[in-house]
Amino acid sequence: MRTLAELEQLDFAFIDELTALEQKLAVVDQRLQAMDARRGQVPEIVFQRVHEDYLQQQLALQRQVEPLRQRVRQMAGDLGSLQAQFRLKLDEHRLILAELEFRHALGEFPAAELGERQRPLLEQQRLMESTLH
């Protein structure tokens, strides 16, 4: 599980690379599909040569794309786990704040002390809420 500090250091540049590769792959896929409509317009040997070339390009691009897709899936899983962890911590903070207010209402400590105890918790809560959104 990654910490917030580690997540802030993550490099998302590979997503641009993935997007560019997927665009190239889409072009090759479209050309492969378009070839069928023109099959009879060229000699079969030419069709086969061009078809094989596009299949090789497609395979090469798929080999480059798959590890990047796997990296995206892993990162999405990590981020989902972290989000769930933040939500649990946020719920915990809310309970602690409710308990402080309840104890204050019962006269356990004065309002000034309530504010002192709430301040760090509210600050952490705001940080977590802004991270989730």
Side-chain angles (χ1 to χ4, degrees):
M1 172 55 55
R2 297 178 190 262
T3 65
L4 181 57
E6 289 173 321
L7 286 173
E8 289 173 344
Q9 299 301 315
L10 287 178
D11 180 13
F12 291 94
F14 76 94
I15 293 175
D16 293 335
E17 180 185 354
L18 176 59
T19 300
L21 288 169
E22 285 182 334
Q23 288 171 346
K24 288 178 183 179
L25 185 57
V27 168
V28 171
D29 290 344
Q30 289 170 350
R31 289 181 181 158
L32 279 166
Q33 290 175 3
M35 288 183 69
D36 287 332
R38 298 180 179 208
R39 188 173 196 140
Q41 298 173 0
V42 295
E44 185 62 24
I45 190 78
V46 171
F47 179 87
Q48 290 299 325
R49 197 176 332 169
V50 173
H51 188 260
E52 182 62 28
D53 179 50
Y54 282 131
L55 285 177
Q56 291 303 316
Q57 288 179 43
Q58 183 186 50
L59 186 60
L61 287 166
Q62 287 172 341
R63 284 185 185 136
Q64 289 177 294
V65 163
E66 190 49 41
L68 297 175
R69 286 179 179 163
Q70 180 60 35
R71 196 167 162 193
V72 167
R73 286 189 289 271
Q74 178 64 42
M75 192 173 283
D78 287 352
L79 293 172
S81 277
L82 186 62
Q83 185 179 35
Q85 202 175 34
F86 276 162
R87 288 192 189 286
L88 287 173
K89 269 222 178 283
L90 189 56
D91 289 344
E92 182 182 315
H93 272 77
R94 288 180 179 142
L95 290 174
I96 292 169
L97 286 167
E99 180 181 342
L100 285 174
E101 290 172 8
F102 184 57
R103 289 179 179 277
H104 167 69
L106 294 173
E108 191 172 314
F109 46 82
E113 188 175 333
L114 173 64
E116 287 177 30
R117 290 183 180 195
Q118 284 179 322
R119 194 170 304 114
L121 293 169
L122 290 170
E123 187 175 310
Q124 288 175 343
Q125 182 177 336
R126 276 191 290 276
L127 177 62
M128 284 188 286
E129 286 173 342
S130 68
T131 301
L132 287 172
H133 301 293

